[in-house]
Amino acid sequence: MLRKYQQILLILATTLLFTACSVKQPAPIAIKSNDIDVLASTANDNAIDSTKDSKDFFEKYFKPWNSTKVSFPKVEAMWGQSYKLKKVYLENHLLATPEWFDKQIENSNFDAYNTLTKKAIILKNTNIRVLPTNSPMFYDPTKPGEGFPFDYNQNSAIKINTPIIVSHLSKDKAWAYMESSNVGGWVEIGTIAFVDEKFIQEFKTSNYFVSVKEKFPIYDPIFREYVKVATIFPKKNNKYIIAKRDDNQNALISYIDLNVDEVEPMPLAFNTQNRIKIAKQLLDEPYGWGGLLNNRDCSSFTQDYFATFGKYLHRNSKAQLSNGKYLDMSKLSNDEKKEFIRKNGVPFSTLVYLKGHIMLYIGIKEKEPLVLHDMWSVRLKDSNGVNYRHIVGKTSITTLEPGIGMKDYNEDSNILNRILGIVVL
């Protein structure tokens, strides 16, 4: 009898234990890719004025060709040299030596800053580097979030057909320090061609198309590039313009054919069909820190999403706060943050910001705000207090609490707890 009574107590205790766990770790809501279709249909078509915004977009896009020099002071252009004061590791996971940094700094040739000042164009999708080298710089490759893909020598990436202005060349003449409409840094010399006024006049047709398909090949006549969403092509007659270079690194106009499902007149109308089309092209793209490996990070995702609609966004997450009306949420509790977003967020035209990350708010499902964002990982903490990460590594639809319900879910380090505000564009 005593044995039977003990068994009953054990069953009750086990039931209570699992009930308590289920309260602490609620099951996440089911999220599907077709949620985009439903939520996009509820968004406001007038939230983005594509025609009005595109005028500002193209003024900024062509700004390098209307400039006489790189716009920021030399001391800002040299900011990357401060990594010499930090402990960074190279591709072999060995510490970068002072001599290694001295070599990169010497090759940077900043005594020649803004002495070349030549206008140019990007010939292929390419990396923009902090220092003039393809060597990566990691903090500690053995720690979560400090090894691949977090190469701190990767400042950004830049698309084919992008106008730039070149400040100067590295001492070995293998690199050009340049500025585009939204970012500066080093690109390999073979990825650019210098333009003259005749080229600029031919390129600026006022008839622009934008790619609406991700990573499709183009040929001139051999393979040139895998084109990314938000790449811009001027159109003349029935042909699309890209640049190629002659033997002296000067740009020449070249014409290519593109399919009707690959490009559309820019800007796209901000309607349900187009919101869905662009979002689904970018959904599930692998995460690419600073555009590494021809992919996107969080802010280049939001930047490219809105570029198709003619809306200009800055390149990094913090700078994008100035692209709309910023509403501070830093003093709110987590429940208050959700309610604030439900009340003030405009689906598909509101950014959600936390330090180092930005997301696109897309609407409500089962009372939970959903976001579309390019994310690397969910931060977790085990019972011994050891932090680790569950890798997501792609553009995903999530709640504001990705990972909730997972073993070792850590509310303190989760996204919702760290949200600081929203930007209504």
Side-chain angles (χ1 to χ4, degrees):
M1 185 70 176
L2 180 61
R3 181 180 179 85
K4 184 175 181 181
Y5 179 69
Q6 288 173 332
Q7 289 176 337
I8 292 171
L9 286 177
L10 179 60
I11 292 170
L12 286 171
T14 304
T15 302
L16 287 170
L17 174 62
F18 281 105
T19 301
C21 288
S22 67
V23 171
K24 291 181 181 178
Q25 300 288 352
I29 65 172
I31 295 175
K32 303 176 182 177
S33 63
N34 63 7
D35 286 334
I36 288 178
D37 303 57
V38 176
L39 297 174
S41 67
T42 65
N44 181 2
D45 289 355
N46 298 316
I48 300 294
D49 187 340
S50 297
T51 302
K52 178 182 176 182
D53 287 339
S54 64
K55 181 179 179 181
D56 174 69
F57 180 95
F58 281 111
E59 284 179 359
K60 290 183 170 67
Y61 187 73
F62 287 114
K63 182 181 176 182
W65 287 355
N66 296 321
S67 302
T68 57
K69 62 181 181 179
V70 170
S71 66
F72 35 84
K74 181 168 75 169
V75 66
E76 291 185 20
M78 296 171 64
W79 71 271
Q81 297 182 8
S82 65
Y83 278 107
K84 184 180 178 180
L85 305 177
K86 301 178 182 180
K87 184 182 289 188
V88 298
Y89 295 78
L90 302 178
E91 60 266 39
N92 56 7
H93 287 195
L94 297 179
L95 278 170
T97 64
E99 292 76 20
W100 183 87
F101 274 108
D102 288 341
K103 179 181 177 181
Q104 311 312 320
I105 292 169
E106 173 70 15
N107 194 39
S108 295
N109 193 28
F110 272 106
D111 287 343
Y113 188 69
N114 264 339
T115 59
L116 182 62
T117 58
K118 293 182 70 172
K119 299 165 187 177
I121 191 168
I122 297 293
L123 299 175
K124 59 176 290 186
N125 299 338
T126 192
N127 294 324
I128 302 176
R129 307 297 279 171
V130 175
L131 299 174
T133 174
N134 280 316
S135 289
M137 296 193 302
F138 303 116
Y139 281 155
D140 185 343
T142 66
K143 293 182 179 179
E146 294 192 9
F148 179 86
F150 300 101
D151 172 9
Y152 285 89
N153 196 32
Q154 178 74 4
N155 194 34
S156 189
I158 192 167
K159 298 180 183 68
I160 186 173
N161 264 13
T162 304
I164 62 171
I165 185 166
V166 173
S167 157
H168 67 288
L169 303 183
S170 57
K171 282 198 171 180
D172 61 10
K173 294 183 169 52
W175 297 82
Y177 189 89
M178 64 91 227
E179 180 183 20
S180 70
S181 64
N182 53 48
V183 68
W186 292 99
V187 295
E188 291 183 276
I189 193 68
T191 65
I192 70 171
F194 296 107
V195 302
D196 57 19
E197 289 305 314
K198 182 176 182 295
F199 178 94
I200 291 173
Q201 288 176 11
E202 289 188 59
F203 191 88
K204 295 173 72 171
T205 63
S206 298
N207 184 24
Y208 303 111
F209 280 63
V210 64
S211 56
V212 296
K213 189 175 180 181
E214 180 68 4
K215 292 179 182 171
F216 62 88
I218 57 173
Y219 305 88
D220 179 36
I222 62 172
F223 173 81
R224 278 289 299 273
E225 188 55 88
Y226 286 112
V227 173
K228 298 171 67 62
V229 164
T231 303
I232 295 170
F233 295 93
K235 187 177 183 181
K236 185 176 181 180
N237 299 324
N238 293 318
K239 297 284 188 176
Y240 299 88
I241 296 175
I242 60 172
K244 60 183 179 182
R245 63 180 181 181
D246 64 17
D247 293 339
N248 295 313
Q249 196 99 22
N250 295 313
L252 302 172
I253 294 287
S254 183
Y255 297 97
I256 62 171
D257 295 311
L258 296 173
N259 297 324
V260 293
D261 66 333
E262 296 170 340
V263 292
E264 293 185 20
M266 184 178 178
L268 302 181
F270 191 68
N271 59 31
T272 297
Q273 178 183 349
N274 290 331
R275 288 190 290 269
I276 294 169
K277 179 190 302 180
I278 301 304
K280 287 195 169 181
Q281 284 297 313
L282 301 180
L283 187 64
D284 291 329
E285 179 192 33
Y287 178 86
W289 167 264
L292 202 63
L293 299 178
N294 210 26
N295 294 317
R296 293 177 179 84
D297 56 21
C298 62
S299 56
S300 57
F301 158 71
T302 52
Q303 184 184 52
D304 283 355
Y305 182 83
F306 285 102
T308 62
F309 301 105
K311 179 71 176 178
Y312 177 89
L313 295 187
H314 293 302
R315 175 57 186 90
N316 68 65
S317 56
K318 188 172 183 180
Q320 288 180 3
L321 302 187
S322 66
N323 291 131
K325 182 180 180 182
Y326 180 69
L327 303 176
D328 182 76
M329 297 166 52
S330 59
K331 307 298 184 186
L332 303 182
S333 69
N334 285 351
D335 287 340
E336 289 171 335
K337 288 177 181 179
K338 288 185 182 182
E339 182 57 31
F340 188 91
I341 292 173
R342 283 191 287 260
K343 181 179 179 181
N344 297 286
V346 181
F348 284 86
S349 57
T350 297
L351 307 178
V352 183
Y353 172 73
L354 56 150
K355 186 177 180 181
H357 192 58
I358 202 153
M359 308 173 286
L360 175 63
Y361 168 64
I362 61 173
I364 304 293
K365 181 176 182 179
E366 297 177 23
K367 299 183 180 180
E368 290 288 338
L370 297 188
V371 287
L372 180 61
H373 55 137
D374 211 328
M375 63 181 300
W376 176 242
S377 65
V378 174
R379 300 180 185 186
L380 303 172
K381 181 185 286 187
D382 68 19
S383 57
N384 296 317
V386 176
N387 294 309
Y388 68 102
R389 300 195 181 201
H390 168 75
I391 304 302
V392 178
K394 63 181 182 178
T395 306
S396 307
I397 308 169
T398 73
T399 67
L400 299 176
E401 301 167 284
I404 193 168
M406 292 179 63
K407 181 178 180 293
D408 297 336
Y409 173 76
N410 183 15
E411 183 177 336
D412 291 340
S413 64
N414 202 255
I415 281 176
L416 178 61
N417 196 54
R418 295 183 288 132
I419 287 174
L420 297 175
I422 60 174
V423 184
V424 181
L425 300 174

